[in-house]
Amino acid sequence: MPTAPRRSASDAAEKNRPLVEDIRLLGRILGDVIREQEGKDAFELIERVRKLSVAYRLKSDAQAGRALDRLLKNLSGDQTVSVIRAFSYFSHLANIAEDRHHVRRRMHHEGQGHLQEGSLAMTFERLAEADIRATEIARTLKHAYISPVLTAHPTEVQRQSILGAERAIAELIGERDELRTERDRDENTALIRARVTQLWQTRMLRTAKLTVSDEIENALSYYHATFLRQIPRMYREIEEALPGHEIASFFRMGNWIGGDRDGNPFVTEATLQMALRRQSETVLRFYLTEVHSLGSELSMSAMLAPVTAQMQALAERSPDQNAHREDEPYRRALIGMYARLAATLHDLTGTEALRHAVAPESPYLNAEEFLADLRVIEASLHSHHAGALVGPRLRPLMRAVQVFGFHLATVDLRQSSDKHEAVIAELLKTARIEAGYSALAEADKRALLLRLLDDARPLRVRAAQYSEHAMGELSIFETAGRMLQRFGRDSLRHYIISHTETVSDLLEVLLLLKETGLMRGELHEHAVTDLIVVPLFETIGDLRNAAPIMREFYALPGVAAMMKASGAEQDIMLGYSDSNKDGGTFTSNWELYRAEIALVELFEGLGREHDLTLRLFHGRGGTVGRGGGPSYQAILAQPPGTVNGQIRLTEQGEVIASKYAHPEIGRRNLETLVAATLEATLLHPAKQPKMGAPKAFLDAADAISDASYAAYRKLVYETPGFTAYFFSATPIREIAELNIGSRPASRKATRAIEDLRAIPWGFSWGQCRVALPGWCGFGSAIEQFLGKEAKQRKERLALLQKMHRQWPFFRTLMSNLDMVLAKSDLGIAARYVELVEDRKLGKRIFGLVKAEWQRTHDALTLITGEKRRLESNPTLARSIEHRFPYLDPLNHLQVELMRRYRNGRDGDPGMDRVKRGIHISINGVAAGLRNTG
C-alpha cells in the first residue's frame, strides 16, 4: 500500500507550502538587499556557500562538503563577516516565518473546529469529559497562583533594535494572508524590504556590555508587546468558557531583573529602586493611554442615556469644567481619573504624563481605588443598555488593573547564602556577641540565631564602621521595606536564598529581615514577615536534602506560626541548571522529581496542621540541559500533587524573545501554562500511586539515575584534561567576552567547571553542536541497566518501553532527549576539536564524547522504537532539515575565526573584525538552534 505515505507526504507539503513561500520571499528579499548593499560579488559568494551547504547537508554530496570547506577557509576577514551576517539574518528571518506559520496552522485548526493540545479550549473540553464542573474549575482558579518570572541571563544575545525590526517584519508577514490584490502585496513586500534593509544596516552586536538598566528596559519591552494586552485577553477566554463565574486574578507576572544579586555585583539598592519605578511607570502610562482612549469612546450624553447616581457623583468630582462636556458624564469622569492617574505617576515615579486636559491632582492611594472608579463606569454602562461598550476596552483595562496593579510585576530578591552568612558574622563580631560565627557548628549557629530572633533588640552598633559588603546588603533590605510602602504588598513577595544547604541559611535571612524591619515581633510569638523566605535547592546533594531541611526548619518553635500569620504560603525553588551541571540530565530530572514528592508529603502534614500552601518554583532554563523543553509537557510530567494550582517558573534569556516577542504567540504560550496547570491539578487519576508510577518504574529510574550520574561525573569531572578540552573545543572564552548580560560568566576567577555558571556551560556546548548537558550519561546508564544476559535484557527493555508509554515523566524526558540529539551534530563538533592544541587530548576526549552520544542514540532508539530522530515530531524534523544547511556555514566560520583569534597577536588591527565575526556567528547559531542556543 505505497499510496498512503505519498498522500501524507503530499498533505504535509501542502500544509507547509505557505511556510516555504514565506521563507523563500524573505530569503529573496535578503538576497536583493545584500546585492544592493554589498555588491554582486558578495551576493554570489553567499549564494555559492548556500548552494554547497545545501548539497552537502540535504544531498549528502561529499564533494560539495570538501569544496565548502576549502572556500570558507580561504575567505578574507571582510568576506567572512559578510557571509556570517547573511546566514545569521537568514536564521532570524526563518524564525519569523516559522512563528507565523505556527499561528496560521493554529488559526486554521480552530476555524475547522479542531482543538489543539495545550490550548485552553482543549483543556476545558477534557475537563468537561471528566465531568469536572465549571464551579470546581472557578474554585481551583480562585486559590491558584501561576506566575512566569522573567530573568536576565547571559544567553539573550538580541539587541532591542534588532527585535523591534523583526517584530515589524513579523507583523507584515502576518498581513500577507489577508491581502487580495497584487498592488497590496507589492506594497507589503516593499515594506518588508525596508525593514530588512534596516536590519542589514543595523549593528547586530552591542558595543558595550549590558547594564542592569538595559536588562530592565529589555524586559519591559515584552509588556508593551505582549503582556499588558494579551493577559487580559486570556482571562476573557476563560470567562467565556466559564460563564456566570467570577474568575479570580490568579495569573501574575514575576521579575528577577534589578533584584537578583547572586553573582552580579551590579545589582544594588539603586537597581532595585529603578526596576520598581520603571515597572510602575510602564503600567501607569498604559492605564493613562487606555483611560484617554475610553474618554474618546464613551461620548454618551446624559440627555440620551441617564447614568447611575454613583456615575454622576464620579463626574461631579472631576475638575473638568469644559462647557462642551457638561452633558457628557463619562468623559468628565475619565478626565478626572486621568488627572488622578497623572498625579499617581508623578508621586510614584517622579515622571509626568504626556497630556493634560486638567492639572494632575488627588493621586490614587492604590490600584483598588482606581479599579473602584472603573467599576462605577461599568455598572452605569450596563444600566442604560450600553454593555456592548464594556467588552472592547473597559473590561480588559479592569482586568489589567487587577493583575498588574500599580507595580506591574512582583520583583524577587535573590542572594547567595554565603553572602548572608558574611553579613551576619560581621554584625555579631562588631556587637561582640560571637567573634567566630562562620566557624560554628550548624547546631550552634541555629541556637544562636533562634536566640537573636527572640530578642527585640537590633544587632547594629551605632557609629560602628561596617564593610561595604555588609552595608550594601543591609541597604537592599531597607530599600525593600520602603518600596513595599510605596508600591504595595505585591511589588515584593519573595526573598530567594541561592545555595541553601542548611537550616541556618534560612534563619540568617530571617534575622536580616528582623534587623531591617521586614520581620516584626519575636519568633516565639506574634512574628510576621513581609517577604517569603524561599530556599533554592540547586545541586544534586541540595535536592536530596530539600525535604529534611524544610522539615527541620518548620519544627523550630515559632516558624510555622509566623508563616501562617504572614500569608500561609511557602515557596520553594528548585534549580534545574546547576543540578544538571552537577549530575547530568537524567539524574537532575530524577532528583527533582523525588525532591518534589518528598516536599509535597511534608507539606501535606503542615497544610493540615497550619493551613499552609506549598508553591514550587521551577528554575528552568531555555535549553533541555537547563530544564527547558515544552512547558506544557513539563508541567504535566510533574509528580502527582505537586502542582495543585500553584506554580512559578523562570523564563530565561533567548527563550523570552522566542515565546513573547510576538503578541499572538505570546498569548498561546501564556495559555499553555494555565492549561497545563489546570490539567495537572484536576485531571490526576484517582488511584494514581503516591510517587506517580508503579514501584518497578521507580526502581528502574533509581538504577538508571545512579548509573547515569556515575557516567556523567566520570566524563566531565574525573577525565584528566576535560576542563582544558572544554575551554578549547567550545566558544566559552569568546562567550565570556560577548556583551550579552550584566552578570559575569563564572562565579569565581577560576577555570573550574564547578565555578562556571550553568548557563554559559550549556550555551557553549550548544554552540559547538554537541549539546552535551542535554544527553550525557544516559546511554551508559541504559547499557548498564539492560545488562548482557539475553533474558534479563529482554525483560528490562520491555519495562523501559512500558515506562515510555505509560509514565509522563519518562516520556517527556525521552522526547527532550530526542530533540537534543536531533539538533546536535558531531560532524560539525569535530571541527571544534581542531582548536584543541593538544591533539592527542582532543582526539581522546572527543572519542569518549562520541561513544557516549552513540550509546544514548542507540538507547533512545531501543526505548522508543523510532529509528530516525524526531520521527514522532515531523514538524520539528522538517524545521531542522531546512535550517541546518544555513547553520553549517556559521559553525564552520566560527571555528575558523576562533582559530585566527586565538592565534592572533595583541595590537593586530584585524583582530577586532575577527572578534566581531565570532560574536555575530554566536548570535546566528543561537537564533538557528532556538531552544538549544
Side-chain angles (χ1 to χ4, degrees), residues 55 164 185 441 546 586 708 867:
R185 294 179 76 81
F586 191 91
S708 180
K867 292 186 173 62

Side-chain angles (χ1 to χ4, degrees), residues 99-100 102-104 106-107 110 225-226 230 233 237 659-671:
D99 288 344
R100 172 59 202 159
H102 179 73
V103 172
R104 181 188 288 127
R106 186 86 174 241
M107 292 170 68
E110 287 178 357
T226 298
Q230 296 303 322
R233 192 175 165 192
E237 186 176 345
K659 281 187 172 183
Y660 301 119
H662 186 288
E664 185 72 19
I665 290 170
R667 183 167 58 83
R668 302 296 187 188
N669 280 303
L670 295 168
E671 203 179 294

Side-chain angles (χ1 to χ4, degrees), residues 262-473:
D262 181 18
N264 193 339
F266 306 110
V267 175
T268 63
E269 51 90 17
T271 64
L272 177 61
Q273 290 185 63
M274 184 196 306
L276 287 160
R277 190 172 60 246
R278 284 292 295 123
Q279 286 185 184
S280 183
E281 183 182 349
T282 297
V283 75
L284 285 169
R285 289 193 185 281
F286 172 74
Y287 296 157
L288 284 163
T289 301
E290 293 302 287
V291 166
H292 178 76
S293 298
L294 276 173
S296 299
E297 294 164 5
L298 301 186
S299 56
M300 290 77 76
S301 168
M303 293 186 286
L304 299 172
V307 299
T308 63
Q310 292 91 335
M311 183 66 230
Q312 189 60 41
L314 185 60
E316 295 297 337
R317 289 198 297 273
S318 171
D320 179 32
Q321 301 299 321
N322 190 303
H324 296 294
R325 291 189 284 268
E326 214 171 286
D327 68 326
E328 295 175 346
Y330 290 104
R331 281 184 164 168
R332 288 173 58 209
L334 286 160
I335 285 170
M337 292 165 65
Y338 188 99
R340 295 192 71 185
L341 277 175
T344 308
L345 176 71
H346 180 76
D347 270 18
L348 291 182
T349 72
T351 61
E352 302 296 333
L354 297 178
R355 54 173 80 86
H356 300 296
V358 296
E361 62 173 51
S362 305
Y364 286 109
L365 293 178
N366 51 50
E368 288 70 29
E369 279 193 354
F370 176 43
L371 181 61
D373 284 355
L374 293 173
R375 284 184 167 140
V376 168
I377 295 174
E378 179 193 34
S380 184
L381 288 170
H382 282 298
S383 76
H384 55 77
H385 310 294
L389 289 163
V390 172
R393 192 180 301 276
L394 180 58
R395 187 172 294 138
L397 175 57
M398 291 168 66
R399 180 60 76 177
V401 177
Q402 291 173 297
V403 172
F404 301 113
F406 287 167
H407 65 285
L408 187 70
T410 298
V411 176
D412 289 359
L413 301 178
R414 182 171 81 131
Q415 181 57 290
S416 181
S417 59
D418 61 312
K419 303 296 184 184
H420 302 135
E421 182 182 288
V423 176
I424 293 292
E426 186 175 340
L427 289 172
L428 296 180
K429 184 177 181 181
T430 305
R432 299 189 178 181
I433 294 171
E434 172 55 63
Y437 172 78
S438 295
L440 293 178
E442 170 64 12
D444 295 330
K445 283 182 179 178
R446 286 189 206 178
L448 175 55
L449 293 167
L450 286 169
R451 178 165 62 81
L452 295 170
L453 285 164
D454 280 335
D455 190 332
R457 293 169 297 179
L459 290 175
R460 276 177 285 187
V461 177
R462 291 182 67 179
Q465 294 293 308
Y466 292 98
S467 68
E468 185 180 343
H469 169 68
M471 294 301 291
E473 290 298 307

Side-chain angles (χ1 to χ4, degrees), residues 156 158-168 199 221-222 657 661:
E156 174 48 79
Q158 309 292 26
R159 290 181 65 212
Q160 281 301 307
S161 304
I162 301 295
L163 288 171
E166 290 179 358
R167 281 192 190 110
L199 275 180
S221 72
Y222 296 101

